[in-house]
Amino acid sequence: MGFPMSIVAPKERKHLSADALFHLVRSGFATIPDPRCDDVDISLTDALMSAFAMFSLKAPSLLAFDKERAEGNLHTIYGIERVPCDTHMREILDPVSPKVLRPVFKSIVRQLQRGKALEAMAFLDGHYLLALDGTGYFSSTTIHCASCLHKVHRNGSVTYSHQMLGAAIIHPDMRAVIPLMPEPIGKHDGTDKNDCERNAAKRFLIKLRQDHPHLKFIVTEDSLSSNAPHIETLHNHALHYILGVKEGDHAFLFQQVQAAEHAGRVTYYERHDRAAGLVHRFRFVNDVPLNASNVDVRVNFIEYWEMSKDKVQHFSWVTDLRVSRRNVFHLMRGGRARWKIENETFNTLKNQGYNFEHNYGHGTQNLSVVFATVMMLAFLVDQTQQLCCALFQAVWAKLGSKRLLWERMRALFYDYALMSMCQLFEALLYGFKKSSPLVAIDSS
Ligand SMILES: [Zn+2]
């Protein structure tokens, strides 16, 4: 209305601004009990918030963060009273159990629901697509801790590593993803055996249902997950699925599809996209057994070819959703969107400024897992901005890349005394000399 250069943010989205979310994260940290005795110089809240600020600012290392502590802005923008030095931050965070961070993830997802931002991510009849996948982020032959996975080689040497099961709400048409609290894959209290992705998935699904008992999900995973016990677990948690399958790993299933084809039960369907020069070809059949030893586990099968002038891409999935000509195209898009957990989540964390594979400090107990989890939390806050904050979107569009956005953000953060993240983004968008108000809240 009155501000030709301004961005008018919808009223219900003001709780989803960077400043509001930093405040929410800090209040979440403040409820975590400090395992140390009372007379501590730096609070656990400040130590956790400092780690969060380090990842939020995309500091390349803990030492770099320590060198440029910019105390003033860390206090005004991130609400940190005292910033610990690098050694002290590691000491405070090493004994912290990563699971205490779960409620903070949950409260941000709640905020997204409240702002009606999550609704926009719904994929099918109010169901959200939830992609799950494991990834490694640390490996060493020398550095290790109590929660490292061990791999003993033939010559007796050992490789230590950390992995996690990542989870993100995705949508085929949206670049932003909503990561949930990841499940660490590592050694657990009192056990000697190495953990594995399948056990991590079992733990993850139990906690998913505790945190979000009423959210409707369609889980999407790669072909390693297409086995009867896992499908049963998904079913027991009232979760739908679209899971990859491979002819080499699921020979019985593909034989059954062939038999169904001979019996005339298989449907072929084709859709031509002339503008894109693509032909989408499907064959599908409902209600076939997954494998010979679990014939009572029945699935619906989709095979898909995307054909262009010089390339054919081939995919296949099983799902519990009944497949028809009406929905097969949409289900295919859901199955293909799974790559977003690899590309838009893990690759972004590894290559787009977050330094997921950098060792910020390993500790002897939990430090490595705590850092990885807090980094995922910072990523969740950033993705929420990307999805909901018009100001963030405008700055990103202006600068053209996240890498440049983070670089400019850090430069301003370290060089100027700022009141808020909003002020920082406004400065990036309009330059410092322009006068406010630049962002108004729609009060209609
Ligand atoms: Zn370790």
Side-chain angles (χ1 to χ4, degrees), residues 144-145 147-148 162 362:
H144 56 95
C145 69
S147 51
C148 270
H162 284 268
H362 201 82

Side-chain angles (χ1 to χ4, degrees), residues 118-295:
L118 202 62
E119 265 175 33
M121 301 271 299
F123 170 70
L124 182 71
D125 301 332
H127 289 72
Y128 297 97
L129 267 183
L130 180 68
L132 304 183
D133 200 9
T135 191
Y137 61 91
F138 173 83
S139 177
S140 169
T141 51
T142 49
I143 301 168
H144 56 95
C145 69
S147 51
C148 270
L149 293 166
H150 293 201
K151 187 179 165 101
V152 183
H153 303 283
R154 267 203 202 133
N155 65 3
S157 67
V158 182
T159 301
Y160 303 96
S161 65
H162 284 268
Q163 298 169 14
M164 65 163 59
L165 180 77
I169 296 175
I170 57 171
H171 190 286
D173 298 329
M174 290 191 202
R175 183 115 185 248
V177 302
I178 303 295
L180 304 183
M181 167 89 178
E183 181 62 34
I185 306 173
K187 280 223 191 317
H188 291 271
D189 318 332
T191 55
D192 238 7
K193 270 169 62 183
N194 274 330
D195 194 10
C196 64
E197 192 173 320
R198 196 185 281 194
N199 285 339
K202 278 188 201 161
R203 296 193 302 273
F204 172 84
L205 294 173
I206 293 170
K207 294 167 191 166
L208 173 75
R209 271 302 174 228
Q210 287 167 354
D211 283 355
H212 307 289
H214 305 301
L215 278 188
K216 297 193 281 185
F217 290 110
I218 300 168
V219 173
T220 174
E221 293 173 83
D222 65 19
S223 68
L224 291 174
S225 63
S226 297
N227 59 76
H230 183 64
I231 286 178
E232 216 156 76
T233 308
L234 292 171
H235 180 77
N236 292 342
H237 289 291
L239 297 161
H240 295 294
Y241 59 82
I242 304 172
L243 308 175
V245 280
K246 282 186 184 158
E247 189 155 9
D249 301 333
H250 300 88
F252 179 83
L253 173 71
F254 280 77
Q255 283 160 19
Q256 295 298 304
V257 173
Q258 216 46 50
E261 170 132 20
H262 290 312
R265 286 180 55 220
V266 166
T267 307
Y268 276 88
Y269 172 71
E270 230 174 64
R271 187 187 279 202
H272 293 252
D273 181 346
R274 290 206 169 78
L278 292 176
V279 176
H280 306 279
R281 177 177 293 165
F282 299 89
R283 84 170 174 161
F284 61 86
V285 56
N286 289 306
D287 195 27
V288 281
L290 180 70
N291 59 40
S293 45
N294 301 83
V295 285

Side-chain angles (χ1 to χ4, degrees), residues 165-441:
L165 180 77
I169 296 175
I170 57 171
H171 190 286
D173 298 329
M174 290 191 202
R175 183 115 185 248
V177 302
I178 303 295
L180 304 183
M181 167 89 178
E183 181 62 34
I185 306 173
K187 280 223 191 317
H188 291 271
D189 318 332
T191 55
D192 238 7
K193 270 169 62 183
N194 274 330
D195 194 10
C196 64
E197 192 173 320
R198 196 185 281 194
N199 285 339
K202 278 188 201 161
R203 296 193 302 273
F204 172 84
L205 294 173
I206 293 170
K207 294 167 191 166
L208 173 75
R209 271 302 174 228
Q210 287 167 354
D211 283 355
H212 307 289
H214 305 301
L215 278 188
K216 297 193 281 185
F217 290 110
I218 300 168
V219 173
T220 174
E221 293 173 83
D222 65 19
S223 68
L224 291 174
S225 63
S226 297
N227 59 76
H230 183 64
I231 286 178
E232 216 156 76
T233 308
L234 292 171
H235 180 77
N236 292 342
H237 289 291
L239 297 161
H240 295 294
Y241 59 82
I242 304 172
L243 308 175
V245 280
K246 282 186 184 158
E247 189 155 9
D249 301 333
H250 300 88
F252 179 83
L253 173 71
F254 280 77
Q255 283 160 19
Q256 295 298 304
V257 173
Q258 216 46 50
E261 170 132 20
H262 290 312
R265 286 180 55 220
V266 166
T267 307
Y268 276 88
Y269 172 71
E270 230 174 64
R271 187 187 279 202
H272 293 252
D273 181 346
R274 290 206 169 78
L278 292 176
V279 176
H280 306 279
R281 177 177 293 165
F282 299 89
R283 84 170 174 161
F284 61 86
V285 56
N286 289 306
D287 195 27
V288 281
L290 180 70
N291 59 40
S293 45
N294 301 83
V295 285
D296 52 326
V297 178
R298 318 274 303 181
V299 293
N300 307 323
F301 172 89
I302 302 173
E303 194 166 15
Y304 166 67
W305 295 263
E306 182 190 85
M307 299 181 285
S308 63
K309 222 172 92 200
D310 38 37
K311 197 164 116 189
V312 176
Q313 285 186 275
H314 175 240
F315 303 86
S316 33
W317 299 278
V318 293
T319 174
D320 62 329
L321 300 159
R322 195 159 182 87
V323 187
S324 67
R325 280 193 174 84
R326 197 180 49 81
N327 68 8
V328 69
F329 188 83
H330 197 61
L331 295 178
M332 169 278 285
R333 296 201 68 219
R336 288 189 73 174
R338 192 201 69 79
W339 65 271
K340 284 173 184 282
I341 184 92
E342 284 173 24
N343 203 49
E344 301 292 331
T345 312
F346 299 145
N347 288 349
T348 302
L349 288 174
K350 287 173 187 179
N351 307 313
Q352 301 290 316
Y354 294 87
N355 282 311
F356 192 39
E357 293 167 303
H358 172 75
N359 178 17
Y360 283 83
H362 201 82
T364 59
Q365 301 172 66
N366 303 315
L367 186 64
S368 168
V369 185
V370 169
F371 274 151
T373 312
V374 174
M375 182 186 286
M376 192 65 93
L377 186 64
F379 179 62
L380 169 59
V381 168
D382 292 338
Q383 290 290 296
T384 303
Q385 298 306 294
Q386 186 175 322
L387 189 68
C388 306
C389 176
L391 180 57
F392 180 93
Q393 290 159 359
V395 175
W396 185 21
K398 183 189 172 189
L399 296 177
S401 78
K402 285 271 184 72
R403 193 165 282 279
L404 197 56
L405 195 164
W406 304 142
E407 215 175 89
R408 293 282 166 81
M409 178 176 91
R410 261 201 315 276
L412 285 194
F413 188 89
Y414 290 129
D415 287 348
Y416 295 90
L418 298 157
M419 298 301 292
S420 65
M421 212 58 182
C422 179
Q423 191 194 15
L424 189 154
F425 285 142
E426 282 175 1
L428 285 177
L429 189 59
Y430 304 111
F432 251 126
K433 303 238 164 76
K434 301 262 162 60
S435 60
S436 47
L438 298 164
V439 168
I441 302 295

